[in-house]
Amino acid sequence: MSFESAAPPSRPPLAGSAQDLNDDEFLELDDLLASVPEPLEPLDVVMLDGYLCGVIVQPVLIPSDDWLPFVFDAGGHRWGEAEPGPEQQRARALILRRHSALNRTIAEFGGFDPFILEPSDDAPVEGEPDAQTTPEGAAAEPDAVTTDRDPIADAMLPWVAGFEQALHAFPALVEMGDSAVDTTLARLFRFLPETGEESRAVAAVLARERPLTSLDDAIAELVGAVAELYDLTEPLRYKVERVRRETPKVGRNDPCPCGSGKKFKQCHGAAGAPPLA
């Protein structure tokens, strides 16, 4: 599934500044984020992808100046001086392009390509010794055997952790108290480490009712959950509040409310006249 260069037939091709990042630009952005100096704690590109989706599906529109600082530091601290240097400007431009591309493809196509790294071939698998902890030629001790490692969850974890970080920084989504939102969030959080009895119970139900047998299944589950969250929050995100007048609107030919006996257009409605008290 790929939407980077796609556009509806009724629309012209996207301008270069509105297109998604290519592979080289993803690598460039990852290097730029890795160069952020300590003690700042930046996201990497995988966590960034999840974080951006967590921002996009919020029930309110969040200005980029509010969410960008958390990309460069978990605490939202500034990277660099007041005047951004070339590296900061380049990183910001790439991040905003990815944000725009994600927002557009989710809104128009109901899907997107998440940036998720496949598990490496030499990663420990369930029931096999961990090569980092077992000396060569030695028998693996019971506590050196990985028995609960799920390679699919391991691959999904960084992306979902980035999504969760957006919800910590901007909790409006989890504070909605909407059961449909909570259920859909559980489909994403199944990839996070289980931290309590409730999370283990939810994970068990999802494993039984929505089993995932491959990384492709997991990615499809992730994309579907994000698209559903976007649809659930869209009416709130773009809601326009009506301005209610405290007093009835006065027509130009109506008597002026000030009691002067003149028409409104000849009194307080005239050009340059002071406003009504």
Side-chain angles (χ1 to χ4, degrees):
M1 177 177 60
S2 180
F3 301 104
E4 285 90 341
S5 59
S10 61
R11 297 195 178 188
L14 290 173
S17 61
Q19 292 178 352
D20 203 351
L21 307 185
N22 58 39
D23 291 345
D24 290 339
E25 288 170 327
F26 270 116
L27 292 175
E28 178 188 1
L29 178 56
D30 200 32
D31 287 342
L32 287 169
L33 292 173
S35 71
V36 175
E38 295 181 349
L40 302 183
E41 299 177 356
L43 304 176
D44 60 28
V45 287
V46 179
M47 292 187 68
L48 169 66
D49 221 48
Y51 174 82
L52 293 177
C53 285
V55 168
I56 288 169
V57 300
Q58 291 288 330
V60 293
L61 288 171
I62 302 174
S64 59
D65 285 344
D66 289 347
W67 58 258
L68 264 171
F70 293 95
V71 173
F72 304 119
D73 180 62
H77 299 102
R78 181 183 294 276
W79 173 30
E81 303 298 329
E83 185 66 27
E87 289 186 344
Q88 289 97 323
Q89 292 177 358
R90 178 60 175 166
R92 180 187 176 100
L94 293 173
I95 292 166
L96 291 176
R97 273 180 53 198
R98 179 59 176 167
H99 175 271
S100 296
L102 285 169
N103 196 26
R104 181 176 185 273
T105 53
I106 295 171
E108 295 188 2
F109 300 103
F112 63 102
D113 281 336
F115 192 82
I116 292 175
L117 302 179
E118 295 187 7
S120 60
D121 294 336
D122 57 354
V125 296
E126 186 173 340
E128 290 188 357
D130 187 338
Q132 294 182 345
T133 58
T134 304
E136 184 177 356
E141 297 295 332
D143 60 355
V145 177
T146 304
T147 58
D148 57 353
R149 188 176 178 89
D150 180 352
I152 294 177
D154 283 349
M156 304 295 288
L157 175 58
W159 196 101
V160 180
F163 184 95
E164 184 186 37
Q165 184 160 326
L167 270 55
H168 283 305
F170 307 102
L173 182 66
V174 294
E175 292 176 351
M176 287 177 61
D178 185 296
S179 59
V181 169
D182 294 341
T183 299
T184 308
L185 284 174
R187 290 166 53 194
L188 287 174
F189 293 159
R190 69 186 297 182
F191 301 110
L192 296 174
E194 298 165 8
T195 56
E197 184 176 343
E198 182 178 356
S199 66
R200 285 192 292 271
V202 171
V205 171
L206 287 170
R208 182 174 64 253
E209 297 182 355
R210 304 179 71 95
L212 305 175
T213 59
S214 68
L215 182 60
D216 286 342
D217 287 347
I219 291 175
E221 174 79 345
L222 179 150
V223 171
V226 171
E228 286 184 25
L229 288 170
Y230 186 93
D231 290 341
L232 287 168
T233 56
E234 185 176 18
L236 296 172
R237 192 163 47 252
Y238 297 105
K239 182 179 179 181
V240 178
E241 296 288 347
R242 293 185 176 182
V243 178
R244 296 184 177 181
R245 294 178 178 273
E246 295 182 359
T247 57
K249 183 178 178 180
V250 181
R252 289 185 55 76
N253 290 314
D254 293 341
C256 187
C258 72
S260 65
K262 299 179 181 179
K263 293 182 177 180
F264 179 68
K265 67 181 180 182
Q266 296 170 338
C267 191
H268 281 85
L276 283 166

